[in-house]
Amino acid sequence: MNAIDHEHLSRCMAAMVDDQREVVRFVEAFGDRLRTVIAGILAGYGRHDLLRDPNEVDGLVWDVAFVLQARAAAWDPDHGVTPWTWAGAAVQAAVVAGIGHRTASLGSDELERALGAPVAGAFVAGDVDLDALGAREPLVAEWLVATRAVASERDATVHLEYQVQRVLGDPSPSHTVAAHHGVTAANVRQIDRRVRVKLEALVRSDPTACNLGRLPWLHPHGSAHSGSITCLHHVAA
C-alpha cells in the first residue's frame, strides 16, 4: 500500500466539514485504508464470513467514512495521526453496530414481550407488527412516524426491517433483509445509513423530535453508539 498523502488527506477532511457529498471523494482516495482498519476489527470479532464478503466490507467503509465526516471539524492534521486512528473508538463502534454484534444478551422472554412475536427459530422481521407495538409504546410510534416522513416507502421499510433484525440477534441482518427485497446486503446498509442520517438531522433541527435521540442506532450528537442496548429492549424493561 502506498504512503499516505497527508496533504491530500487534510484537504479531503477539510472539504467534508461542510459538505457531506465530499465523503465520496474521501472514500475514493482512502477507502483501501479504511478497508484495512475494518478487516482488523472484523477479524477481532471472528467475523471472517463478512471479511470474505466484499459487499459487506464496502458497506462498512461507507459507515466509517460518515463517522469520520461527522468528526472532520475536530480532527487536527498537525497531530500527525490519521483520522481513522484518532477516531478509533468511534470507528470500531460503527463497525460493531453495523455487523449486529451484541455486547449484551437479551432473553427471549424480554424480546417476545417487546416485539409481540416468538423469537425462537428463524429471524423474520416481517413477523413483527411494529405498528401494533407503536400503539403501546410512544417511542416506537415516533420512530415509525419519523422514518416514514423522511424516507421513501421502500427505504423506510428496509431501515425498519434491518433494525428489527439486529434487535432479534440476526448475525447477518443486511443479508436477511436483502434477500427479502431482492437487493444486495451493501444496498441495505447504504439505505439504512441514509435513513439514519435523515433521522439524526431531524433530531438536531426539530425540538419536538428530541425523544428520537434515545434510539441507540442514532447518534445525533456525534457519538456513535455500540448498539448493545436497543429501543425495543428499553420498552421491554
Side-chain angles (χ1 to χ4, degrees):
M1 189 175 292
N2 296 331
I4 294 175
D5 183 338
H6 289 281
E7 290 187 4
H8 184 44
L9 175 59
S10 297
R11 289 194 298 270
C12 286
M13 289 294 287
M16 288 198 299
V17 171
D18 297 315
D19 190 347
Q20 195 174 70
R21 293 172 298 180
E22 291 294 328
V23 171
V24 175
R25 295 182 184 178
F26 179 81
V27 170
E28 288 175 350
F30 301 103
D32 287 345
R33 299 284 177 174
L34 300 186
R35 289 182 184 88
T36 298
V37 172
I38 290 165
I41 296 172
L42 291 176
Y45 280 96
R47 295 306 303 271
H48 299 285
D49 56 324
L50 299 184
L51 270 174
R52 294 189 293 269
D53 187 335
N55 288 330
E56 277 292 339
V57 175
D58 284 346
L60 291 169
V61 165
W62 287 100
D63 279 357
V64 169
F66 278 110
V67 164
L68 297 179
Q69 186 272 332
R71 293 160 175 75
W75 177 69
D76 185 349
D78 292 336
H79 288 169
V81 179
T82 60
W84 45 87
T85 300
W86 167 77
V91 167
Q92 178 162 329
V95 173
V96 169
I99 65 177
H101 178 80
R102 294 171 294 162
T103 57
S105 176
L106 304 182
S108 61
D109 290 343
E110 293 175 291
L111 286 173
E112 286 182 17
R113 286 201 307 273
L115 298 172
V119 299
F123 300 104
V124 184
D127 288 344
V128 178
D129 190 340
L130 285 175
D131 288 302
L133 180 59
R136 305 194 306 270
E137 301 296 342
L139 182 56
V140 174
E142 289 185 44
W143 175 40
L144 295 176
V145 170
T147 299
R148 290 162 179 166
V150 302
S152 67
E153 181 179 357
R154 193 281 301 264
D155 285 6
T157 299
V158 168
H159 165 72
L160 295 169
E161 289 187 3
Y162 175 71
Q163 293 299 338
V164 170
Q165 287 299 130
R166 292 183 58 220
V167 173
L168 291 175
D170 188 339
S172 299
S174 58
H175 285 85
T176 301
V177 177
H180 185 216
H181 291 277
V183 297
T184 68
N187 290 148
V188 170
R189 295 177 55 78
Q190 290 161 5
I191 290 169
D192 174 70
R193 176 60 191 169
R194 285 201 302 269
V195 175
R196 284 189 288 124
V197 166
K198 292 177 181 178
L199 290 174
E200 290 164 10
L202 179 65
V203 172
R204 288 193 297 268
S205 63
D206 185 352
T208 65
C210 62
N211 279 340
L212 291 174
R214 293 169 51 202
L215 293 172
W217 44 83
L218 299 184
H219 36 90
H221 302 297
S223 57
H225 194 285
S226 69
S228 61
I229 303 175
T230 71
C231 167
L232 298 176
H233 184 209
H234 281 308
V235 301

